[in-house]
Amino acid sequence: MLLNSWNQIVTSRGSEVAFRHHELEVGGTFSDIDAAAAGIDTSGECVVVAGDSPEFFSGLVAAWRAGKPALLLENRTSKARPIECEIPSDTVLIKQTCGASGIERSLFFTAEQVFAEGMRNLEGLGLHPGRPGLAAISLAHSYGFGCLALPLLLAGVPLDIVSGPMPMFIHPALDRAGEEGVFLPGVPAIWKTWWQTGIAKHPAISLALSAGSPLSLELEHGVFEECGLKIHNFYGTSETGAISCDDSSMPRTSADFVGRLLPGLRADLDDENRIVIASDSLAFGADVCVSRNEFSADAYHTLDQGRVTSEGIFLTRCTGDAINVAGRKVSPHRLAEIVEGLEGVRSARVERGRSRDFERFEEIRVHLVMNRDFDKKALREQLRQKVESWEMPRQWTFEDV
C-alpha cells in the first residue's frame, strides 16, 4: 500500500524535484530519494528517521522496504525513548510523544492507518503536486508528518524544507514558488511573527494552515484584513492524525471553532463532554495508556472537551497535563525528572502558566528546592544541554535549604 504508492511516483515522476533542503545545494528528485534508501541501515528493530535530516524520506522508504517500523525523532540529536512493550508485528510507524496527556509514550500505526491519514489530508485540504508545501515546521511531529511528509510520499507533492520559521528563511522560499503558490502550515506563534514582519502578505501563499494551539480571532482577523489571507484553523491529535479543518473563506466568528470533520471521520461526545473520534487512521495501540477506555474499537477518546454540531467541532478545554508551548507539547513529569537530576537540586515542581503572549498559549514554570550556594546561571546551562529549546522554563523560583 505505502510502498506501492511510492513506487508509482518514482516510476512516473522519478526525474522531478521532490524536495529542496537547506543543507543541500540542489534539490533531490524522487529517484534520488529512492536510490538513497538502499544505503539506509535497517538492521535494528526500528529504522530511526530524524525530521531535520536530508535523508528523512529515504529512511521512511527504506523502512517500508525492509518491513521495519519507522520511528520518528524530532532531530538528529534527539534520543529515542525506550519502548515499554513488544512492538506489535504490523507496526510501520512509531510516534514518540506526550501529546495532550503529558505522559511520554510510543504510539503504533499500521500501513493502512498511515495511508488513510495521508489520503484524507490530500482530499480534505486539497493538496496536489502543482502546489508544493513549504516546511517550516517539524516533519517528525504529527502535524508536519501528516500534512507535509505523507503528501510527498503518497502523491508526490513537492516540499521546500527551510531551516526554520524565521522570515529570513521563509521569504526566499516564497520568492521561488511557482504560479500556483505554496501550502504553508504553521502554529499561531509563527503566524503572528509572519504577520508582524510582512511575510503573510506574500502572494505566493495559496493555502495557510494553523494548528497546535488556539488561533485567536484577533490574529486571524488581523491577517485577513491587512494581508487578504485566510488562515484555516486545523485540529488533530497524535493518536488520530488530522481531524477537522475550517475550510471557510472568511474569518471565524467563534474562537472555539476548529472546523468541519475531514472525510471519513465521525465525532461524538462522551459522558464528560470529551470529544470521541472514530477514525481509520487511529493508532492501534500504545506502550502506555492514559486511561482504560482511551482506545475503544475504532474510536479514540481525546482529552479535549467541547461540542460537536452540524457546523463542525468546537473546543472549549483540554483536560490533559501537557504544557502547550507555542504548539509543542511538553511533559511536566519528564521535565521535573530531568531537573531533579541536575547538580544541587533537591526537588522540582513543574507547572503550566498562561503566557502573556496569547499565541504562545502557555509557558513553563519551575519551582526548585536547592542546596545552598548554587549557581543559577550554571543550573540553567545544565538544563539547556539536556532539553530542547522550547522545553526551557520561562519562570524560575528557588528555595534553598
Side-chain angles (χ1 to χ4, degrees), residues 56-171:
F56 178 77
F57 296 108
S58 297
L60 288 163
V61 173
W64 295 348
R65 284 185 178 155
K68 299 285 186 72
L71 190 155
L72 304 180
L73 288 186
E74 170 75 16
N75 53 52
R76 282 163 284 186
T77 61
S78 302
K79 294 183 179 179
R81 294 188 295 275
I83 297 174
E84 305 295 335
C85 70
E86 184 176 339
I87 299 174
S89 59
D90 291 336
T91 303
V92 301
L93 179 71
I94 301 174
K95 298 179 185 177
Q96 291 198 322
T97 177
C98 71
S101 70
I103 297 174
E104 299 282 355
R105 61 181 181 168
S106 298
L107 299 169
F108 309 118
F109 297 83
T110 66
E112 291 78 11
Q113 290 160 345
V114 174
F115 184 82
E117 182 188 2
M119 300 310 290
R120 179 162 24 254
N121 286 339
L122 286 162
E123 179 185 352
L125 299 176
L127 305 181
H128 55 84
R131 181 170 59 194
L134 178 48
I137 60 175
S138 172
L139 295 175
H141 280 203
S142 188
Y143 178 24
F145 185 76
C147 293
L148 294 167
L150 287 181
L152 182 148
L153 291 162
L154 300 182
V157 179
L159 283 185
D160 196 337
I161 305 167
V162 296
S163 57
M166 299 304 293
M168 68 179 71
F169 305 127
I170 297 295
H171 206 285

Side-chain angles (χ1 to χ4, degrees), residues 296-366:
S296 58
D298 64 344
Y300 175 66
H301 292 246
T302 75
L303 294 173
D304 297 318
Q305 293 179 325
R307 295 181 292 121
V308 178
T309 73
S310 59
E311 295 179 65
I313 294 180
F314 295 78
L315 297 186
T316 55
R317 177 173 175 262
C318 178
T319 62
D321 290 335
I323 303 173
N324 188 332
V325 181
R328 292 184 181 271
K329 308 304 188 295
V330 177
S331 168
H333 316 293
R334 171 177 169 270
L335 189 55
E337 289 180 0
I338 294 173
V339 174
E340 287 177 345
L342 302 179
E343 183 178 350
V345 178
R346 291 203 169 195
S347 66
R349 185 175 71 249
V350 175
E351 300 174 335
R352 65 157 55 94
R354 281 304 301 264
S355 174
R356 286 178 290 183
D357 181 349
F358 180 86
E359 273 62 47
R360 285 189 60 83
F361 192 52
E362 295 177 338
E363 63 184 19
I364 302 169
R365 300 174 180 175
V366 59

Side-chain angles (χ1 to χ4, degrees), residues 283-294:
F284 73 98
D287 60 348
V288 178
C289 283
V290 175
S291 63
R292 186 170 56 184
N293 69 338
E294 180 183 13

Side-chain angles (χ1 to χ4, degrees), residues 7 18 151 213:
N7 288 338
S213 59

